[in-house]
Amino acid sequence: MSADTDIQLSGPFKATDGAGRAHDAKAIRIFDEGYGAIDVYVDFSASISGLHKDKTLIDAVLAQLRTVGYKGPALSAGDPVLQENKLLVLEAPDAFNTFAASKGWKDLAEEFGGE
């Protein structure tokens, strides 16, 4: 998680899944640039295997994002191929781009918009 291309949106927090189990999230982060669609990465301290589509867990991440200023629609489960044992990848709606830009994210597609 110490890559130079990451923007950390949140530090550690607790997230509860649909079965009522608490999970320690280490951080929520995004890459600093992309082409419109943003994947949101949530790093956990322990395995969350099998919970990548858990609505309650995803809602807990959304609640944490709201504490740091995100006001848009909900995020959804990301591509199953991107999920890892201690990593939850969520797909952000287009409305997330404005929030991400306020945190330093750069939309590379805008550079080609005038051509």
Side-chain angles (χ1 to χ4, degrees):
M1 194 184 90
S2 62
D4 291 337
T5 60
D6 288 351
I7 295 172
Q8 186 169 320
L9 301 176
S10 170
F13 66 100
K14 290 237 185 244
T16 303
D17 65 26
R21 296 175 302 231
H23 301 274
D24 291 322
K26 298 192 295 186
I28 301 174
R29 59 188 171 86
I30 57 175
F31 289 123
D32 65 350
E33 53 187 33
Y35 290 97
I38 299 176
D39 287 325
V40 176
Y41 300 87
V42 187
D43 298 296
F44 286 88
S45 298
S47 175
I48 57 158
S49 184
L51 296 174
H52 297 98
K53 292 184 178 182
D54 187 292
K55 181 172 176 8
T56 305
L57 186 64
I58 293 170
D59 287 347
V61 172
L62 178 61
Q64 181 64 23
L65 284 169
R66 296 209 187 286
T67 69
V68 296
Y70 177 60
K71 296 181 184 350
L75 285 69
S76 58
D79 188 333
V81 174
L82 299 175
Q83 309 299 335
E84 294 180 15
N85 193 31
K86 295 181 181 180
L87 178 69
L88 174 64
V89 181
L90 300 174
E91 189 174 299
D94 289 342
F96 191 86
N97 294 14
T98 301
F99 169 73
S102 76
K103 302 295 184 183
W105 177 77
K106 180 179 179 185
D107 186 354
L108 296 175
E110 288 182 356
E111 293 181 12
F112 302 104
E115 295 178 19

